[in-house]
Amino acid sequence: MARRRHWLLTALVVGVVAGGVALPIVNGQRAEQAWVTGIESVDAMLEGDYGRPSGVESRVYDRGLFSAQARARIRLAAPAVSPALAAALGNDRGEVVLTLEQTIEHGLLGIRFDGHLIPHDRLAMQLRRFVADPAEAVRVGGKVNLQMRQLRVSTVPLSGLIEADEPLVLDAAPLRLELSFQPDEKRLDTLLNWPGMTLDAPEQGGELRVDDVSLNSTGRLVAGDLLNGLWVGRSELRLGDMAARSAMEPPVRLAELSVTANSEAADNGRIDAGLGLRFSRLSLPEFPVVRGQARWQLRSLAAEPLMALSRMAPALEDSPTLPARARAHLADLAAAGPVLTLESMRLETEAGTGLSSTGRVMVDPAMAEALRTGARGMALLRHLAMTATMGLDQSLGDALPAEPAAWLAQLQAFGIVRRQAGEYRIEAALEQGTLTINDRPWWRLDG
């Protein structure tokens, strides 16, 4: 019995040791495969969107027992680089070259990686104005295990003169972005935090300031893949304050902006989505200070044709006419009878007077057959039903300056605007090719 226990104990120890050696090897193979797949996806995406020479120029992966060193050189050539960025870099070829360097640890508990996205050439020269070592400016790290894939991107503080001969000073706080993907649930959580930045021109008395930017979202993949997929879920973007001032103009300010989005997918493959916007203060030159909110709803959006059109988007940009395949996907979208609703919109002054609006656009499923048989342009209006209302509080309308007040009076004279229940109001509708305004027919598709 004692000898049997001895052999069982020996076998257990050997198994643990073998597993401790085998797991890093297996995780190392998984890490390399995941890295190669990710780099190939980036290369394919850049080539598909911008064409060569944009893409991954070279890649190196040196794997050991418990860790690896990985490096990829990425080129972004015109048109991937905007003309404004190319001009700022003083780069006639309009390109940016970056190297992604990573140290990857693949031990018993999973895979961890950490490193930097390193700029080269003129981009590195420009970054030296704001940070001592451009190679340390952008850090990229994360972890991978059976339950989660996590990516973290962060920047260091940036501070300095944008141009040596122009006293324009940038002061940017560190930015942090974290993405966590759970493969089993196809769920992606995103968290972004950025305290903000200032761009100061002290000699001209100008300043641009952005404070407290955050994004928090949770999404579930319902079609496509991680990089090119259709997601449903909830997200919220917040902006604490954004202000711009100059010596010659009154300041512009937007405060306490919140944008929320939510969506869900039904079993029939259709998506319902909502978008909300709210801000507490918007001040523009020559306009009263206002606050505002709006809410939209989109219902019965077919997921598969939407994804198909999304994949065709790069080709459609260069096409003078709509290809037959794209028309077929649009027909599939129309067949679901989508409805877009502006549930509410309100802009009002600090005194509580303002402008309100609602609206709805409904697609008749019969539009699908019209698209498939070649109908286009105005003929498709028969298959749209639209309503819209807009009301301007009478006290605000009566206080308008002379020129807008004259326009308002002219619209009243034509019957487009009418005064009703304390508002200057417009009610418009388009149904079966007939446009009515304030219950009066104004235009018919058939003339």
Side-chain angles (χ1 to χ4, degrees), residues 212-223:
D212 297 329
V213 179
S214 66
L215 171 66
N216 196 326
S217 73
T218 296
R220 180 172 60 86
L221 184 64
V222 295

Side-chain angles (χ1 to χ4, degrees), residues 57 71-75 89 91 95-101 116-128 134-135:
E57 291 187 329
R71 184 170 61 256
R73 186 178 175 91
I74 304 167
R75 182 176 298 274
L89 296 176
N91 190 338
E95 65 179 22
V96 171
V97 179
L98 306 162
T99 295
L100 177 64
E101 288 192 352
H116 293 88
L117 189 62
I118 302 170
H120 296 287
D121 305 327
R122 289 189 175 273
L123 180 57
M125 292 172 57
Q126 292 290 345
L127 279 175
R128 287 191 181 94

Side-chain angles (χ1 to χ4, degrees), residues 303 346 356 390 397:
R346 176 72 177 174
S356 300
M390 183 177 294

Side-chain angles (χ1 to χ4, degrees), residues 300-322:
S300 197
L301 191 66
E304 288 190 9
L306 182 64
M307 275 298 301
L309 283 170
S310 176
R311 287 190 289 267
M312 291 183 65
L316 294 177
E317 291 179 0
D318 301 325
S319 177
T321 60
L322 196 63

Side-chain angles (χ1 to χ4, degrees), residues 378-379 381-382 432-435 443-447:
M378 299 291 286
L381 286 179
R382 288 189 181 281
Q432 296 182 344
T434 298
L435 173 67
W443 175 83
R444 288 185 176 87
L445 182 62
D446 297 329

